[in-house]
Protein backbone atom coordinates (compact mmCIF):
# COMPACT_ATOMS: atom_id res chain seq x y z
CA UNK A 1 0.00 0.00 0.00
CA UNK A 2 1.34 3.43 -0.94
CA UNK A 3 0.50 4.95 2.46
CA UNK A 4 3.09 2.75 4.18
CA UNK A 5 5.74 4.36 2.00
CA UNK A 6 4.85 7.97 2.84
CA UNK A 7 7.87 8.42 5.10
CA UNK A 8 10.24 7.01 2.49
CA UNK A 9 8.69 9.29 -0.17
CA UNK A 10 9.25 12.32 2.06
CA UNK A 11 12.82 11.28 2.81
CA UNK A 12 13.54 10.78 -0.91
CA UNK A 13 12.21 14.24 -1.66
CA UNK A 14 14.25 15.85 1.11
CA UNK A 15 17.41 14.16 -0.22
CA UNK A 16 16.90 16.12 -3.45
CA UNK A 17 17.44 19.31 -1.46
CA UNK A 18 21.17 18.64 -1.33
CA UNK A 19 21.94 22.36 -1.13
CA UNK A 20 19.82 22.78 2.03
CA UNK A 21 21.14 22.56 5.57
CA UNK A 22 19.55 20.29 8.23
CA UNK A 23 18.08 23.43 9.84
CA UNK A 24 16.45 24.47 6.56
CA UNK A 25 15.02 20.98 6.01
CA UNK A 26 13.67 20.85 9.56
CA UNK A 27 11.94 24.19 8.92
CA UNK A 28 9.97 22.96 5.88
CA UNK A 29 9.37 19.30 6.74
CA UNK A 30 6.35 19.81 9.07
CA UNK A 31 4.49 21.73 6.35
CA UNK A 32 4.96 19.22 3.54
CA UNK A 33 1.83 17.33 2.48
CA UNK A 34 1.57 14.02 0.67
CA UNK A 35 -1.44 12.81 -1.26
CA UNK A 36 -2.44 9.89 -3.45
CA UNK A 37 -4.18 10.52 -6.77
CA UNK A 38 -6.03 8.05 -8.95
CA UNK A 39 -5.67 7.88 -12.71
CA UNK A 40 -7.60 10.84 -14.26
CA UNK A 41 -7.59 12.81 -10.99
CA UNK A 42 -6.58 16.46 -11.32
CA UNK A 43 -3.74 18.06 -9.41
CA UNK A 44 -4.74 21.41 -10.85
CA UNK A 45 -7.55 22.73 -13.06
CA UNK A 46 -7.87 25.86 -15.20
CA UNK A 47 -8.92 28.75 -12.98
CA UNK A 48 -7.34 27.31 -9.83
CA UNK A 49 -4.70 29.24 -7.92
CA UNK A 50 -1.97 26.73 -7.09
CA UNK A 51 -1.21 26.86 -3.36
CA UNK A 52 1.41 24.10 -3.33
CA UNK A 53 4.35 23.23 -5.54
CA UNK A 54 4.01 19.55 -6.43
CA UNK A 55 6.79 16.96 -6.46
CA UNK A 56 5.96 13.57 -7.99
CA UNK A 57 7.14 10.61 -5.91
CA UNK A 58 5.24 8.05 -7.99
CA UNK A 59 3.26 8.44 -11.20
CA UNK A 60 2.86 10.49 -14.35
CA UNK A 61 0.96 13.73 -14.97
CA UNK A 62 -0.08 15.41 -18.22
CA UNK A 63 -0.29 19.18 -18.62
CA UNK A 64 -2.75 20.50 -21.21
CA UNK A 65 -5.00 23.40 -22.11
CA UNK A 66 -8.23 23.55 -24.11
CA UNK A 67 -8.08 25.63 -27.30
CA UNK A 68 -10.80 27.72 -28.94
CA UNK A 69 -12.10 24.64 -30.80
CA UNK A 70 -12.49 22.69 -27.56
CA UNK A 71 -9.51 20.41 -28.22
CA UNK A 72 -7.10 19.35 -25.49
CA UNK A 73 -3.56 20.41 -26.37
CA UNK A 74 -0.86 18.60 -24.40
CA UNK A 75 2.06 20.83 -23.45
CA UNK A 76 4.08 18.50 -21.26
CA UNK A 77 4.46 15.51 -18.97
CA UNK A 78 5.89 15.27 -15.47
CA UNK A 79 7.10 11.98 -13.98
CA UNK A 80 8.79 10.67 -10.85
CA UNK A 81 11.29 13.05 -9.21
CA UNK A 82 10.03 16.05 -11.17
CA UNK A 83 8.21 19.17 -10.03
CA UNK A 84 4.60 19.75 -10.95
CA UNK A 85 3.52 23.34 -11.46
CA UNK A 86 2.41 26.14 -13.72
CA UNK A 87 5.42 28.05 -12.43
CA UNK A 88 4.70 31.60 -13.71
CA UNK A 89 1.13 31.48 -12.36
CA UNK A 90 2.29 29.84 -9.11
CA UNK A 91 4.90 32.51 -8.39
CA UNK A 92 2.38 35.31 -9.02
CA UNK A 93 -0.45 33.39 -7.30
CA UNK A 94 -2.79 33.94 -10.22
CA UNK A 95 -5.28 31.46 -11.78
CA UNK A 96 -3.74 28.90 -14.08
CA UNK A 97 -4.81 28.40 -17.70
CA UNK A 98 -3.80 24.73 -17.63
CA UNK A 99 -5.04 21.36 -16.43
CA UNK A 100 -2.59 19.03 -14.66
CA UNK A 101 -4.13 15.56 -14.78
CA UNK A 102 -2.74 12.24 -13.57
CA UNK A 103 -2.47 9.67 -16.35
CA UNK A 104 -1.27 7.08 -13.84
CA UNK A 105 -2.00 6.59 -10.13
CA UNK A 106 0.34 9.08 -8.47
CA UNK A 107 1.77 10.11 -5.11
CA UNK A 108 2.54 13.85 -4.96
CA UNK A 109 4.30 15.80 -2.24
CA UNK A 110 3.06 19.36 -1.79
CA UNK A 111 5.31 22.25 -0.75
CA UNK A 112 3.14 25.24 0.30
CA UNK A 113 3.65 28.56 -1.46
CA UNK A 114 3.94 30.32 1.91
CA UNK A 115 6.78 28.00 2.98
CA UNK A 116 8.66 28.56 -0.28
CA UNK A 117 8.36 32.32 0.16
CA UNK A 118 9.48 32.07 3.77
CA UNK A 119 12.53 30.02 2.77
CA UNK A 120 13.43 32.68 0.19
CA UNK A 121 13.39 35.30 2.94
CA UNK A 122 15.09 33.32 5.71
CA UNK A 123 17.59 31.08 3.93
CA UNK A 124 20.24 31.81 1.32
CA UNK A 125 19.80 28.29 -0.02
CA UNK A 126 16.07 28.94 -0.42
CA UNK A 127 16.91 31.65 -2.93
CA UNK A 128 19.21 29.23 -4.77
CA UNK A 129 16.42 26.64 -4.83
CA UNK A 130 14.04 29.19 -6.38
CA UNK A 131 16.57 30.28 -8.99
CA UNK A 132 17.30 26.69 -10.04
CA UNK A 133 13.59 25.96 -10.37
CA UNK A 134 13.05 29.09 -12.47
CA UNK A 135 15.99 28.17 -14.71
CA UNK A 136 14.65 24.64 -15.18
CA UNK A 137 11.20 25.95 -16.10
CA UNK A 138 12.62 28.49 -18.56
CA UNK A 139 14.80 25.83 -20.21
CA UNK A 140 11.84 23.46 -20.69
CA UNK A 141 9.69 26.23 -22.21
CA UNK A 142 12.52 27.43 -24.47
CA UNK A 143 13.29 23.90 -25.71
CA UNK A 144 9.63 23.38 -26.59
CA UNK A 145 9.39 26.67 -28.50
CA UNK A 146 12.63 26.03 -30.40
CA UNK A 147 11.45 22.50 -31.22
CA UNK A 148 8.47 23.93 -33.10
CA UNK A 149 10.54 26.67 -34.73
CA UNK A 150 13.53 24.66 -35.91
CA UNK A 151 12.66 20.94 -35.97
CA UNK A 152 10.49 18.79 -38.21
CA UNK A 153 7.79 16.60 -36.70
CA UNK A 154 10.06 13.56 -37.07
CA UNK A 155 12.94 15.37 -35.36
CA UNK A 156 10.65 16.36 -32.47
CA UNK A 157 9.56 12.74 -32.11
CA UNK A 158 13.12 11.40 -32.17
CA UNK A 159 14.19 14.00 -29.62
CA UNK A 160 11.34 12.94 -27.30
CA UNK A 161 12.31 9.25 -27.68
CA UNK A 162 15.95 10.05 -26.92
CA UNK A 163 15.23 12.26 -23.92
CA UNK A 164 12.28 10.29 -22.46
CA UNK A 165 12.63 6.61 -23.45
CA UNK A 166 10.97 5.55 -20.18
CA UNK A 167 7.74 7.34 -21.23
CA UNK A 168 7.23 5.61 -24.56
CA UNK A 169 5.10 2.83 -23.04
CA UNK A 170 3.41 5.14 -20.54
CA UNK A 171 2.10 7.92 -22.80
CA UNK A 172 -0.71 7.30 -25.30
CA UNK A 173 -0.20 8.07 -29.00
CA UNK A 174 -3.02 10.60 -28.78
CA UNK A 175 -1.33 12.56 -25.98
CA UNK A 176 2.10 12.25 -27.58
CA UNK A 177 0.92 13.45 -31.00
CA UNK A 178 -0.78 16.43 -29.33
CA UNK A 179 2.43 17.26 -27.46
CA UNK A 180 4.47 17.03 -30.69
CA UNK A 181 1.96 19.19 -32.56
CA UNK A 182 1.08 16.61 -35.25
CA UNK A 183 -1.92 14.48 -36.20
CA UNK A 184 -2.11 11.01 -34.64
CA UNK A 185 -2.05 9.39 -38.09
CA UNK A 186 1.07 11.37 -38.99
CA UNK A 187 2.79 10.15 -35.85
CA UNK A 188 1.88 6.55 -36.71
CA UNK A 189 3.41 7.01 -40.19
CA UNK A 190 6.58 8.51 -38.69
CA UNK A 191 6.93 5.58 -36.29
CA UNK A 192 6.45 3.04 -39.09
CA UNK A 193 8.98 4.82 -41.30
CA UNK A 194 11.57 4.85 -38.52
CA UNK A 195 11.13 1.15 -37.72
CA UNK A 196 11.76 0.31 -41.41
CA UNK A 197 15.08 2.15 -41.48
Amino acid sequence: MMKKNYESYLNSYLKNLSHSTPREIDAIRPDLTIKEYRKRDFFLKRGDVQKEMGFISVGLVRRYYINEKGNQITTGFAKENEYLTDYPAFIKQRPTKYFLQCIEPSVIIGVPYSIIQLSYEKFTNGQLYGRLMAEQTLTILNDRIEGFLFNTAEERYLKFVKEHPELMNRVSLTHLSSFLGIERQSLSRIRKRITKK
Side-chain angles (χ1 to χ4, degrees):
M1 187 77 176
M2 286 183 181
K3 288 178 181 173
K4 294 180 181 177
N5 296 320
Y6 276 8
E7 194 64 26
S8 64
Y9 292 145
L10 285 172
N11 288 332
S12 287
Y13 166 68
L14 292 169
K15 283 178 185 174
N16 286 325
L17 307 181
S18 56
H19 52 273
S20 297
T21 66
R23 178 170 165 258
E24 291 167 348
I25 288 175
D26 288 343
I28 69 166
R29 187 185 179 101
D31 293 289
L32 299 177
T33 62
I34 188 162
K35 185 176 176 183
E36 290 184 41
Y37 293 80
R38 296 165 301 181
K39 183 177 179 179
R40 297 190 185 87
D41 280 352
F42 287 93
F43 176 77
L44 198 64
K45 291 182 179 179
R46 181 177 64 189
D48 291 347
V49 176
Q50 184 181 359
K51 297 301 182 182
E52 293 184 324
M53 173 74 70
F55 180 84
I56 303 176
S57 293
V58 175
L60 183 62
V61 176
R62 176 174 74 110
R63 171 178 156 148
Y64 69 91
Y65 69 93
I66 297 177
N67 68 10
E68 66 282 356
K69 295 180 180 177
N71 298 321
Q72 295 182 7
I73 308 299
T74 301
T75 62
F77 304 97
K79 61 184 186 302
E80 293 86 359
N81 299 313
E82 292 182 351
Y83 285 98
L84 186 58
T85 182
D86 173 6
Y87 190 71
F90 176 70
I91 289 301
K92 295 181 179 179
Q93 285 293 279
R94 67 185 184 201
T96 183
K97 296 174 182 174
Y98 295 94
F99 295 85
L100 275 63
Q101 184 179 33
C102 298
I103 53 179
E104 292 178 357
S106 302
V107 176
I108 299 172
I109 294 172
V111 187
Y113 173 83
S114 57
I115 295 303
I116 291 174
Q117 294 302 313
L118 186 65
S119 71
Y120 289 170
E121 294 171 15
K122 288 182 65 176
F123 306 120
T124 303
N125 288 327
Q127 296 169 11
L128 172 64
Y129 173 74
R131 194 193 82 214
L132 292 173
M133 196 175 299
E135 288 174 355
Q136 182 185 45
T137 303
L138 180 61
T139 300
I140 291 169
L141 290 173
N142 188 66
D143 286 350
R144 180 163 172 77
I145 291 167
E146 288 193 349
F148 283 110
L149 290 174
F150 303 117
N151 300 126
T152 65
E154 183 170 323
E155 287 170 339
R156 290 197 297 275
Y157 171 72
L158 290 171
K159 186 173 188 287
F160 185 88
V161 171
K162 182 180 178 181
E163 294 180 355
H164 308 285
E166 74 285 355
L167 294 185
M168 295 312 297
N169 293 322
R170 298 171 68 183
V171 173
S172 72
L173 276 185
T174 299
H175 292 161
L176 182 55
S177 61
S178 173
F179 174 73
L180 296 172
I182 54 179
E183 294 293 327
R184 193 176 188 276
Q185 302 93 309
S186 300
L187 178 57
S188 294
R189 285 195 293 271
I190 288 170
R191 285 160 58 98
K192 285 179 184 176
R193 189 163 63 245
I194 290 170
T195 55
K196 289 178 181 177
K197 287 183 179 178

